[in-house]
Amino acid sequence: SDLFDISKVQSGAEQMQCERIDACTLVRQALGEQDNAIAESRLTLKVNIPEHEVPIWADGKKMSRVMENLIGNCIKYAMPGTRVFVTVSEQESEAGIELKNIANYEMDFDAGEITERFVRGDPSRTGEGSGLGLSIAKSFTEACGGTLKVRVDADLFCVQVALPLTEKPAPAGAAGEAGPSEACEAAPL
């Protein structure tokens, strides 16, 4: 369950399976997995992903879940007929993944609180979702050594994920599991 997943990762009991992955491939796969829902959403995606690899050191399954949650939120909560911007970028020492959309409701909440457990952006919504999606995304991102920040500007909702870059494959014997309470340590550059 979502609550069990977030409790494990926040308590440090979750085993992290860190490996060298490509942030561009991660985002492309997540978009591909939700292709049908995107097509039915009446949203236009504007995707800006480099052609070259943007290597990160992270748990691929956890980060796939993060992307699934973030893209799913865009599909559910973006105003129909608008654009969703998905960008992968590479700064000096980190990869950036950004999703921006115009909300289909008035966002009257603190951007810092929306990633807390059971917090929903639209207080009138009572049925769908657990209020844990952004909290799970933030917890998984942080367990992979990254950050997840939310920014709200009027009706513009923006999520920014930053993860450390890695250039080299892990040293022999270092790939695989991080200990139960260890975040993924970046492989040396």
Side-chain angles (χ1 to χ4, degrees):
S1 81
D2 287 346
L3 187 56
F4 181 68
D5 289 345
I6 195 169
S7 295
K8 279 178 54 179
V9 77
Q10 287 182 343
S11 72
E14 180 72 26
Q15 291 285 352
M16 302 301 293
Q17 303 290 326
C18 296
E19 59 188 336
R20 184 182 193 274
I21 59 175
D22 176 22
C24 300
T25 301
L26 173 74
V27 174
R28 283 188 194 101
Q29 286 178 339
L31 289 168
E33 288 170 6
Q34 297 197 45
D35 194 43
N36 289 339
I38 292 167
E40 294 170 4
S41 70
R42 295 186 29 221
L43 298 170
T44 301
L45 265 67
K46 296 291 188 177
V47 180
N48 183 6
I49 300 176
E51 292 299 318
H52 65 275
E53 183 182 51
V54 178
I56 57 175
W57 186 254
D59 184 313
K61 288 182 181 177
K62 299 290 188 285
M63 290 311 301
S64 289
R65 175 87 181 272
V66 168
M67 295 311 305
E68 175 186 333
N69 285 0
L70 298 180
I71 294 166
N73 279 356
C74 289
I75 293 167
K76 287 184 219 171
Y77 306 120
M79 182 179 292
T82 62
R83 292 179 297 278
V84 173
F85 295 85
V86 180
T87 304
V88 176
S89 61
E90 185 175 2
Q91 288 81 38
E92 196 170 300
S93 63
E94 65 185 21
I97 301 169
E98 182 177 71
L99 293 91
K100 295 189 281 191
N101 65 274
I102 300 297
N104 63 7
Y105 62 94
E106 185 175 347
M107 293 186 293
D108 187 23
F109 57 82
D110 181 316
E113 293 176 1
I114 196 67
T115 58
E116 298 299 319
R117 290 182 187 192
F118 307 115
V119 175
R120 295 176 174 183
D122 182 357
S124 67
R125 185 172 60 91
T126 57
E128 186 178 322
S130 62
L132 292 172
L134 286 174
S135 184
I136 289 169
K138 182 177 182 182
S139 295
F140 283 3
T141 300
E142 289 174 350
C144 289
T147 61
L148 183 145
K149 296 180 182 173
V150 172
R151 187 170 47 86
V152 174
D153 184 1
D155 289 337
L156 177 67
F157 185 83
C158 178
V159 177
Q160 298 168 316
V161 173
L163 291 157
L165 288 172
T166 187
E167 290 181 10
K168 299 177 184 173
E177 294 185 11
S181 61
E182 298 174 46
C184 294
E185 297 291 327
L189 290 175

